[in-house]
Amino acid sequence: MKWYSKTYIGVFLAFLYLPIMILIIFSFNDTKGRTFTGFTTKWFVQLFSDAAVMDALWTTIVVALVSSVIATVMGTAAAFGLEKMDAKLKSVVMNLTYVPIINPEIITGVSFMLLFVTAKKWFATMGIDFQFGWTTLILAHITFNVPYIILNVLPKLRQLDHSLVEAAMDLGCNPLQAFLKVTIHEIRPGIMAGFLMALTFSMDDFVVSYFTTGAKHQTLSVMIYAMTKKRVSPEINALSTMIFIAVLAVLVIVNLLERRNEKKLKQVSLKGKDGAAQ
Amino acid sequence: MNSRQAAYPYLMWTVVFIAVPLGLIMYFAFTDMQGSLSMQNLVQAGRYSSVFVKSIWLAAISTVLCLVIGYPMAYLMSRMKGVGSRTLLMLLMLPMWMNFLLRTYAWMTLLENNGVINNILSFIGLGHLQMINTQGAVVLGMIYNYIPFMILPLHSVMVKIQNDVIEAAQDLGAGPGEVFTKIVFPLSKPGIKTGVMMVFVPAVSTFIISQMLGGGHNQLIGDIIEMQFLGNAYNPNLGSAISLVLMLLVLMCMSVSGFLDDEGVEERLL
C-alpha cells in the first residue's frame, strides 16, 4: 500500500480513537475535574460499591438480553412465516418493518411514550396501575430489535435448500420438527448475526430508552445523560475503560480463532488438490 | 400446522407497537390538550421553520463530509485482504461499544475553552480557539458519531467489486481518474445511498450532540421535540406536530434520493 494511503488510515484512526483515549486517561485521574492531576485506580474500586451505577449496568444488560432473545425468537418465526405469505401482505408487513429503522429515533421514542401514556390512562380506568419501567423499556427495545433479526434471517431462508426440509418430512418429521431439526441449523448464521446486532443496538441505545424509562430503573445511557448536565463521574470512565478492554479482548480472540480456522481450511484444500493431482 | 402462522405474533406486534404509535402521533398532532380537533399545533410548528432549515443544513453538511472522509477509507479497506481488512473493520466497530454519550462527552473535554486542545495550542504559543458551543462543534460531533454508518455500507458494496474489473479497465488504458468515474463510483452507488440515509436521518434529528457540543444557542429540531415531551415546554400535541413534519421531511428527502423505490433494501442495509 502507498504511503499516503497508510497515512490516511492512520489519521482517521487517530480521529476515531482520540476521545476514547481521553476517556481512558481520565478514568485514572486523581481528581474529579477535567484536568489531569495524578494517577489513581480508586474509581475502579468505587465503581463496584456504587449501587446506582451497578443498578444501571444491571438494567442495561437485562433489558438488552431479554429484548434480544424475545426479538430473535419472534423475528425468526416472522421471517419463516413471511417467506410463505402472499406477496401483497408480505410487502405491507415489510414496509412496517422498515419503520423503526428509517424513522428518526427520537420519533420512535416519543411515539412509544405516547403509546405508554395512553395505555397508562386506559389501564387506570380499569383500576390497574401501569408504570413506566422494565416493561416499557423491554417492549420498546424488542420493537426496534426485531427488524434487524428479520433482515438478517430472510436472506438465509431464501438460500435454504428446500430438498433438505422435504427429506426430513419424508423421513417422518412434521413441519415443526423439520423446522427445529433442519431449517434452524441452516439459517443459524443469520440468526446469530441478527442477535448480536440487536444486542449491540440495545446496549448502546439512549434515545428510545430516554423516552420509555421510568423513575426507578435507568439504563446506563440515561444515567450518563443526566450526569452530562453537570459532571460525569470518573467511575463511569472506569466502567467504559473496562468495557473497552473486555470488547477488545473478545474481538482479538475471535479474530485469532478465525485466522486459525482459515489456515486449517487452506491446508486441507491444498492437501485435497495434491491428492487429486496424484 | 400452517407455517404462515409463525408470522402472526409479529403481525400483531407491528400493529400494536409500530402502527398504533404512529397513529397516536397523528392524533396528538391534530388535537389540542382537551382532545378536540385543532390545526393550531401545525400552525405553531411552522414557527420553528428556521430551526428545521438549520437542522437540515447542518445534517446535510455532516453527511457530505462523512461521505468525503469515509469514501476513501471504505475503498482502502475494501482493497485489503485477510487480517488487515478484518482488523480495520474491528477497529471501526469497537468505538460503537463505548457509550455514545460518553464519547461525545470526551469531545467536550477536548474542545472546551480550558480543554485539552486549547491547552496544547497555548502551550505551543498559538493562542486560544473558541471551539465548544459552535456550529462547527455540532458538525464535528455528528461526523464523529455517524461516520461508521457511512463507511460500513460503502465497504460492504465495495468488497464486491473485483480487482479483475479494475485491472481490466487499466489494461484497456483507463487512468486512475477514469477507473474511479467509470468503474468504482458507479458500482458503489447503492452503498452511497444507504450511507447517506444512515447518516442524515440520525443527524437531522439529534438532540444530544447539539445540547452537549452546541451550547444553548445551537438548538436543533430534536431539541425542540425533546423539550415538548420531557423538557420545560411540556406540550405533547405541539411535539407530535413537529415530529410529524420532521417525519414527512425525512420521507421526502429519502424518496428524492431514490432510497425507497428500489429492491433489495435489506441487502444494502446489512
Side-chain angles (χ1 to χ4, degrees), chain A residues 6-268:
Chain A
K6 280 185 186 159
T7 314
Y8 194 85
I9 294 174
V11 172
F12 181 81
L13 288 178
F15 168 69
L16 204 60
Y17 280 87
L18 185 65
I20 291 172
M21 269 152 48
I22 293 288
L23 257 174
I24 294 177
I25 291 171
F26 277 88
S27 68
F28 296 104
N29 190 13
D30 209 8
T31 49
K32 278 197 170 193
R34 278 191 272 196
T35 38
F36 199 80
T37 48
F39 183 86
T40 179
T41 51
K42 65 179 176 197
W43 306 115
F44 288 85
V45 182
Q46 266 191 33
L47 173 67
F48 290 101
S49 51
D50 189 329
V53 176
M54 283 294 125
D55 185 58
L57 180 64
W58 174 244
T59 309
T60 309
I61 293 173
V62 172
V63 168
L65 277 176
V66 172
S67 66
S68 306
V69 168
I70 298 177
T72 304
V73 174
M74 185 163 64
T76 306
F80 187 70
L82 279 170
E83 268 293 282
K84 308 273 151 81
M85 219 166 249
D86 61 280
K88 248 191 201 159
L89 186 59
K90 188 184 167 186
S91 85
V92 171
V93 179
M94 285 314 284
N95 280 329
L96 278 175
T97 302
Y98 290 129
V99 169
I101 298 181
I102 51 185
N103 217 11
E105 254 186 310
I106 187 169
I107 295 182
T108 309
V110 300
S111 73
F112 279 133
M113 196 180 154
L114 291 178
L115 177 74
F116 295 139
V117 167
T118 311
K120 193 180 154 89
K121 278 184 195 154
W122 196 53
F123 279 122
T125 61
M126 298 189 293
I128 301 167
D129 183 32
F130 175 78
Q131 290 292 337
F132 277 60
W134 287 111
T135 326
T136 51
L137 273 175
I138 290 174
L139 288 173
H141 278 235
I142 293 172
T143 311
F144 72 71
N145 278 339
V146 186
Y148 295 102
I149 313 287
I150 295 182
L151 294 183
N152 272 295
V153 173
L154 269 182
K156 296 281 167 220
L157 275 174
R158 239 173 270 140
Q159 294 159 12
L160 180 74
D161 186 357
H162 285 283
S163 53
L164 281 175
V165 184
E166 278 156 27
M169 305 245 254
D170 287 342
L171 292 168
C173 278
N174 63 39
L176 184 66
Q177 282 173 324
F179 176 77
L180 291 176
K181 292 193 179 206
V182 178
T183 313
I184 210 156
H185 296 284
E186 295 287 309
I187 61 174
R188 194 191 277 150
I191 298 176
M192 283 310 292
F195 176 74
L196 282 178
M197 258 176 147
L199 204 61
T200 314
F201 285 120
S202 183
M203 295 276 273
D204 199 41
D205 172 73
F206 162 68
V207 180
V208 174
S209 305
Y210 178 60
F211 288 102
T212 51
T213 193
K216 273 189 199 152
H217 297 285
Q218 293 183 320
T219 64
L220 269 178
S221 299
V222 177
M223 178 183 226
I224 294 167
Y225 178 70
M227 284 183 175
T228 58
K229 304 256 165 170
K230 297 175 214 148
R231 262 204 191 306
V232 171
S233 160
E235 287 169 23
I236 298 287
N237 283 15
L239 181 62
S240 0
T241 302
M242 291 193 324
I243 295 176
F244 181 81
I245 293 169
V247 175
L248 186 66
V250 169
L251 286 176
V252 168
I253 291 169
V254 170
N255 216 343
L256 285 177
L257 287 179
E258 261 178 47
R259 227 170 118 187
R260 200 196 280 165
N261 276 346
E262 260 168 40
K263 263 191 195 157
K264 254 190 209 159
L265 273 177
K266 226 181 231 169
Q267 275 169 354
V268 170

